[in-house]
Amino acid sequence: MTALAELLAAQRRLAILQILAASPSGALNTAIIDRALDDAGLRTPRAAVDADVTWLHGEALVTASRTGPYLVAAITQRGRDVAAGEDTHEGVARPELF
């Protein structure tokens, strides 16, 4: 992966965690996450969103499960900590804290 591709992937993963953290239930399907990423200026193919959620699941930052045709991600406490900048995780960008 190129340096730019790694930077974009890390930023997308942070955005996914932040989107999930902002959701009242802490869980969303990747179709909704994809739209939210588009709105945030991170237009991403759905396959890449699914791959990022799968990666985040492998890192225990989210849980992921299939519900019919949908991949559903639910944020874990560790994922919330990373989204808020209270913890770090390699492969996920750090939020800009002001």
Side-chain angles (χ1 to χ4, degrees):
M1 195 181 290
T2 68
L4 178 57
E6 287 177 19
L7 176 69
L8 291 172
Q11 196 63 46
R12 270 194 326 271
R13 292 170 184 155
L14 172 63
I16 290 168
L17 292 176
Q18 290 174 329
I19 289 164
L20 290 169
S23 170
S25 68
L28 294 168
N29 70 50
T30 54
I32 303 280
I33 294 169
D34 187 37
R35 288 184 122 172
L37 288 171
D38 287 351
D39 290 347
L42 293 167
R43 190 166 301 275
T44 306
R46 175 74 61 77
V49 176
D50 286 354
D52 284 335
V53 165
T54 300
W55 186 90
L56 290 165
H57 174 72
E59 302 296 313
L61 300 173
V62 305
T63 59
S65 60
R66 286 258 171 217
T67 302
Y70 299 103
L71 179 60
V72 178
I75 194 163
T76 63
Q77 185 57 53
R78 177 106 197 284
R80 287 184 186 280
D81 293 344
V82 172
E86 296 169 1
D87 198 357
T88 61
H89 192 84
E90 187 158 343
V92 179
R94 254 193 91 99
E96 307 251 343
L97 303 175
F98 295 95

